[in-house]
Amino acid sequence: MTFTISTTIKEISLNFQTESSLFSPKNIDSGTLAMLSAVDFLPNDKVLDLGCGYGVVGILAAKFAGEDNVVLCDSSETAVKYAKLNAETNLVPEIDIIQSNGFEHISDNNFTLILSNPPYHTDFSVAKHFIEEGFQRLAIGGRMVMVTKRLDWYKNKLTAIFGGVRIQEIDGYYVFTAEKRKQSKGSPKQKAKSCLSKKLQRKQKNRCL
């Protein structure tokens, strides 16, 4: 079954086609709206919509930052199909939309903003990958913004990796904003590195060779 959603977010009118197999197919998810209420997109921001679903966050971002500066990805082939359709519908067809299991097929490493509404009702393996690898893919000064209904694990993980996190409670959701800061030796950045999985530590080392 297919659905049509017409909405206005940040004074931008948007239309989305969805189907029943996708996350929140009848209405824009309240957590996503809470996250977007806490974010301002700036011209020339480099944005990643991580786990894009049918494209709400990335398509809205493109209206402010420009199509060439936005990447969307999702592991679901159906989600990618509808995100592409919705990008066309909302007149931002040049957005880069990729089928990818997390960062698997994402080559960019200079994002200024990574946004995600992760599957927090499952185990934390997906969120762990998003946070650890997301830190590596942000430019200095870049921010990761996540929304969940769980507090402690995300607070502790983001603090461990980024050295700190800002938390806003909005409409029953927690919106986390963590910034990648330039740090000196012995700073929280080094402590954060030690919290990375061994696989990501090896990957980071190989990038430096």
Side-chain angles (χ1 to χ4, degrees), residues 9-20:
I9 307 174
K10 294 186 181 294
E11 300 183 352
I12 302 293
S13 296
L14 299 166
N15 295 284
F16 299 98
Q17 299 295 319
T18 78
E19 69 163 47
S20 54

Side-chain angles (χ1 to χ4, degrees), residues 1-204:
M1 183 177 295
T2 60
F3 304 95
T4 300
I5 301 172
S6 296
T7 188
T8 300
I9 307 174
K10 294 186 181 294
E11 300 183 352
I12 302 293
S13 296
L14 299 166
N15 295 284
F16 299 98
Q17 299 295 319
T18 78
E19 69 163 47
S20 54
S21 66
L22 297 172
F23 174 64
S24 193
K26 297 181 181 180
N27 300 285
I28 307 300
D29 171 63
S30 297
T32 296
L33 293 174
M35 179 174 66
L36 289 171
S37 74
V39 173
D40 289 320
F41 298 105
L42 301 176
N44 298 318
D45 260 338
K46 178 74 172 178
V47 181
L48 173 62
D49 181 0
L50 181 58
C52 65
Y54 49 85
V56 176
V57 172
I59 288 169
L60 179 66
K63 294 290 187 177
F64 293 94
E67 297 170 75
D68 294 339
N69 292 324
V70 179
V71 178
L72 288 73
C73 74
D74 201 287
S75 61
S76 164
E77 181 179 358
T78 302
V80 169
K81 170 187 171 182
Y82 274 88
K84 290 180 177 179
L85 172 64
N86 289 324
E88 294 274 354
T89 299
N90 290 285
L91 306 179
V92 285
E94 299 304 316
I95 295 176
D96 193 9
I97 304 174
I98 302 168
Q99 185 175 355
S100 178
N101 185 11
F103 287 91
E104 183 179 7
H105 300 302
I106 305 298
S107 59
D108 302 70
N109 61 0
N110 62 340
F111 293 103
T112 63
L113 195 55
I114 296 175
L115 301 106
S116 183
N117 184 351
Y120 51 84
H121 294 300
T122 61
D123 62 49
F124 294 110
S125 60
V126 173
K128 181 174 182 288
H129 167 70
F130 282 10
I131 293 168
E132 291 185 353
E133 187 66 26
F135 178 85
Q136 304 301 320
R137 303 303 188 91
L138 283 168
I140 297 297
R143 293 167 295 143
M144 170 167 273
V145 183
M146 306 185 87
V147 62
T148 80
K149 280 198 168 183
R150 296 187 175 186
L151 175 61
D152 292 341
W153 187 91
Y154 286 89
K155 176 183 177 181
N156 294 337
K157 185 64 176 179
L158 286 161
T159 298
I161 297 300
F162 285 84
V165 63
R166 181 168 65 98
I167 304 168
Q168 298 168 269
E169 189 171 358
I170 303 172
D171 294 335
Y173 291 85
Y174 297 105
V175 178
F176 303 86
T177 303
E179 181 179 343
K180 183 174 181 177
R181 301 171 182 172
K182 188 174 183 180
Q183 302 285 358
S184 59
K185 289 186 178 180
S187 66
K189 182 178 178 181
Q190 273 65 43
K191 296 177 183 178
K193 181 179 178 183
S194 68
C195 295
L196 298 176
S197 66
K198 291 182 179 179
K199 180 178 179 181
L200 277 176
Q201 289 186 47
R202 289 195 300 268
K203 184 183 295 185
Q204 184 180 30

